[in-house]
Amino acid sequence: MTERKKQPVVSSGIAGLDEILRGGLPASNFYIVQGDPGAGKTTAALQFLRAGVAAGERCIYVSLSQTAAELQAIASSHGWTLDGIRVEELSASETLSGAADQTIFQTADLRLDETRKAIERAIEEHKPHRLVYDSLLEIRLITGDTPRFRRELIGFKAFLAKRGIVAVLLDTQTSGGDHNGEEIEGIAHGVIRLDKSLEDYGGVRRRIEVSKLRGVPFADGYHDMAIREGEGVVVFPRIVPGSPAEVTKPQLIKSGVDALDEMFGGGQESGTITLVIGQSGTGKSTMSSLYATAALQRGESVALFLFEERLETFFRRSEGLGMDLRQFYRDGQLVIYDFSPNEISPGEFGQIVQQVVSRNNTRVVVIDSFTGYLNSLPHREKAVLDIQSLLKHLARADVLTMLIVAQHGLLGQNVGIDVDVSFLGDTVLLLRMSEHEGRLRRNITVVKKRHGPHDLDVRELFIASSGVSVVAYNPLPET
């Protein structure tokens, strides 16, 4: 069987987008980038051209809607320059040649013809490898109807194809328009859409979708993105879990408390997900500190992702239980991210976790709390699906992942979880608190473990400055 020759590609200038495109944009083709005003089209276009400059290619930005000064301002906001990029400022609404000066009123055909000639002259003069055309909205307004607009695109596509130019055409979507239909989908080799939405609270949520790319098995659907100062458009591809790790026998990960390890049949297993569920004050975060400390003392790397507790609070709480983690943090063996609400999308969070685990060969990951993570996102049900892919990825990387899940209600009254996440866990550790004769008692139970035996007994959990201990539960005598 003859091996299929791989089509040459060029970088989009956006690393995450190249990953979605399976390497980049197929060379010598014609692409449309769509989006509402402010979606990031111009920034993405500049990144595309800057990647060409870095590769030693000639690049041209043909602008019908923005001035060179405006483009320079956008570039400067990221600390970039337009060095190596030729900017051609044209106008689709004003006279573009002496021929147009001979008429009192410019007809649509004349303006369209003069605009086309000016663009073609600029291309013939500079002979670019890459071209950005900004924007199709002006050409659409001149043509006035879909058939004429379609013919104009087909002609321009043929002109570019003869010269082997990779072209990105920007198209502004409007809330009431339907111009992003068949006249573009059928002509372009690929269509990329940038989407932004404003939720009831928090910043703008941005997404990107490759809706079409001929001959490439790209990663379809929406992917999270952001626009960052100094970086431009940053794309976070959805997680696709890798192949299972080649592990003959899962590693038993111990807590350092023998009685607790006995409840799990000797310890928790690598490559599994543990839900630590309980109300406020039951000791959920203490469990995460316990396993983190034990792993670090074994010489393993640990990553903690905090959504509720501040970094200093985490250190002080752990130190109050005899667990000093600061030096591990300074040495880089313990990696901690302290997130503020609403500052991160599921896609970006997943990418950060993957990078940390891959870079540090991390063995234990703690998300504290998963409830706080869900509360920071506008669409909680979707976030559960997103993190499910991340958890599968971590499991296949042979990592023990601990999710701290908070229940609302106190002392058994109106206890519940807003979103059902029980299906995510291979193991469920339930922490509860009861009251008897003016004394609170912490209870601990392993209610689920998919792999291997576990103890079903209810035991008592003691948390003190001397450390953590688990003992057989002795019910108080009946009166």
Side-chain angles (χ1 to χ4, degrees):
M1 182 176 178
T2 305
E3 184 178 352
R4 184 177 179 181
K5 187 176 180 180
K6 188 175 180 180
Q7 187 175 6
V9 298
V10 300
S11 172
S12 67
I14 305 169
L17 179 56
D18 285 346
E19 183 179 336
I20 294 170
L21 299 172
R22 300 294 186 257
L25 297 166
S28 303
N29 282 303
F30 174 96
Y31 301 95
I32 305 291
V33 174
Q34 295 179 329
D36 292 325
K41 300 183 301 298
T42 302
T43 301
L46 290 176
Q47 289 174 255
F48 167 70
L49 294 182
R50 281 170 52 80
V53 172
E57 299 171 348
R58 292 184 296 277
C59 300
I60 184 171
Y61 194 114
V62 177
S63 178
L64 280 70
S65 60
Q66 299 191 80
T67 66
E70 290 172 325
L71 293 174
Q72 182 61 63
I74 294 172
S76 297
S77 70
H78 294 291
W80 305 337
T81 71
L82 297 180
D83 295 347
I85 299 174
R86 176 81 180 193
V87 178
E88 285 290 331
E89 291 183 63
L90 303 176
S91 173
S93 58
E94 297 176 358
T95 303
L96 292 170
S97 71
D101 290 334
Q102 300 173 15
T103 65
I104 298 176
F105 300 104
Q106 295 182 40
T107 66
D109 286 336
L110 178 57
R111 294 205 312 272
L112 182 63
D113 183 58
E114 291 300 313
T115 300
R116 184 192 314 113
K117 288 179 179 179
I119 294 171
E120 290 177 353
R121 281 196 301 269
I123 292 173
E124 293 290 13
E125 178 182 354
H126 303 297
K127 296 181 172 53
H129 299 94
R130 299 189 186 207
L131 176 140
V132 168
Y133 189 114
D134 182 7
S135 74
L136 289 179
L137 177 61
E138 282 70 20
I139 302 303
R140 184 180 291 104
L141 293 175
I142 294 175
T143 55
D145 60 71
T146 297
R148 187 190 298 180
F149 176 62
R150 182 180 177 85
R151 289 195 300 271
E152 188 66 21
L153 282 184
I154 291 174
F156 189 49
K157 176 183 177 180
F159 177 83
L160 296 172
K162 287 180 182 179
R163 290 153 182 81
I165 298 171
V166 185
V168 169
L169 282 66
L170 308 186
D171 190 24
T172 300
Q173 296 174 215
T174 56
S175 57
D178 60 354
H179 61 262
N180 55 336
E182 295 181 358
E183 76 273 15
I184 287 180
E185 294 283 352
I187 298 171
H189 192 82
V191 178
I192 300 170
R193 294 195 174 111
L194 307 183
D195 174 75
K196 71 170 187 174
S197 60
L198 187 62
E199 305 295 337
D200 293 336
Y201 177 79
V204 171
R205 297 283 176 176
R206 299 182 184 274
R207 302 182 298 176
I208 189 170
E209 178 204 9
V210 179
S211 62
K212 171 186 176 181
L213 189 62
R214 289 189 178 123
V216 176
F218 60 92
D220 59 2
Y222 282 112
H223 304 264
D224 288 326
M225 62 166 273
I227 300 178
R228 298 278 171 75
E229 183 178 349
E231 298 179 80
V233 172
V234 183
V235 175
F236 311 106
R238 285 196 326 276
I239 296 173
V240 178
S243 302
E246 296 181 5
V247 179
T248 55
K249 185 178 180 180
Q251 175 189 356
L252 280 181
I253 297 179
K254 296 182 179 294
S255 65
V257 178
D258 292 341
L260 178 57
D261 294 334
E262 289 173 6
M263 296 181 68
F264 289 104
Q268 298 199 59
E269 296 182 353
S270 60
T272 63
I273 294 94
T274 297
L275 299 183
V276 183
I277 302 177
Q279 301 149 275
S280 177
T282 53
K284 301 182 301 299
S285 295
T286 298
M287 288 292 107
S288 66
S289 297
L290 195 66
Y291 277 91
T293 301
L296 292 166
Q297 291 174 344
R298 290 192 299 268
E300 300 170 356
S301 295
V302 176
L304 270 67
F305 301 93
L306 307 179
F307 284 91
E308 293 181 353
E309 196 171 38
R310 293 185 299 110
L311 184 59
E312 183 61 25
T313 304
F314 167 78
F315 283 134
R316 290 186 180 182
R317 177 181 52 76
S318 300
E319 289 165 354
L321 301 175
M323 295 178 279
D324 189 356
L325 301 175
R326 291 183 191 266
Q327 190 58 48
F328 294 108
Y329 176 70
R330 296 188 191 101
D331 294 342
Q333 187 180 344
L334 171 63
V335 176
I336 303 178
Y337 279 81
D338 178 10
F339 296 108
S340 298
N342 263 333
E343 75 170 10
I344 192 167
S345 66
E348 183 176 3
F349 175 67
Q351 188 172 101
I352 290 173
V353 175
Q354 288 183 90
Q355 290 173 349
V356 169
V357 169
S358 175
R359 183 173 63 243
N360 298 347
N361 192 27
T362 303
R363 307 314 309 148
V364 177
V365 166
V366 177
I367 300 175
D368 186 2
S369 74
F370 183 53
T371 311
Y373 168 72
L374 291 179
N375 288 338
S376 70
L377 301 172
H379 305 293
R380 303 175 70 183
E381 292 77 10
K382 175 182 176 297
V384 172
L385 297 177
D386 286 330
I387 206 165
Q388 189 174 14
S389 297
L390 173 61
L391 295 176
K392 183 174 289 188
H393 172 86
L394 293 174
R396 291 183 174 181
D398 202 35
V399 173
L400 170 64
T401 305
M402 299 183 69
L403 296 181
I404 309 302
V405 182
Q407 293 177 307
H408 56 71
L410 293 173
L411 301 181
Q413 301 299 317
N414 302 317
V415 173
I417 302 174
D418 293 337
V419 178
D420 182 18
V421 294
S422 58
F423 66 95
L424 295 175
D426 300 303
T427 304
V428 176
L429 181 63
L430 178 62
L431 304 178
R432 292 174 295 176
M433 192 174 287
S434 60
E435 183 270 336
H436 183 83
E437 295 183 351
R439 175 174 174 252
L440 294 177
R441 304 178 71 175
R442 292 187 177 94
N443 304 328
I444 182 169
T445 314
V446 179
V447 298
K448 172 185 176 182
K449 186 171 185 248
R450 285 196 179 118
H451 309 285
H454 66 93
D455 191 346
L456 289 173
D457 292 343
V458 177
R459 302 199 184 190
E460 191 164 5
L461 173 66
F462 290 94
I463 301 175
S465 58
S466 57
V468 176
S469 59
V470 175
V471 300
Y473 191 87
N474 295 316
L476 296 172
E478 296 182 2
T479 57

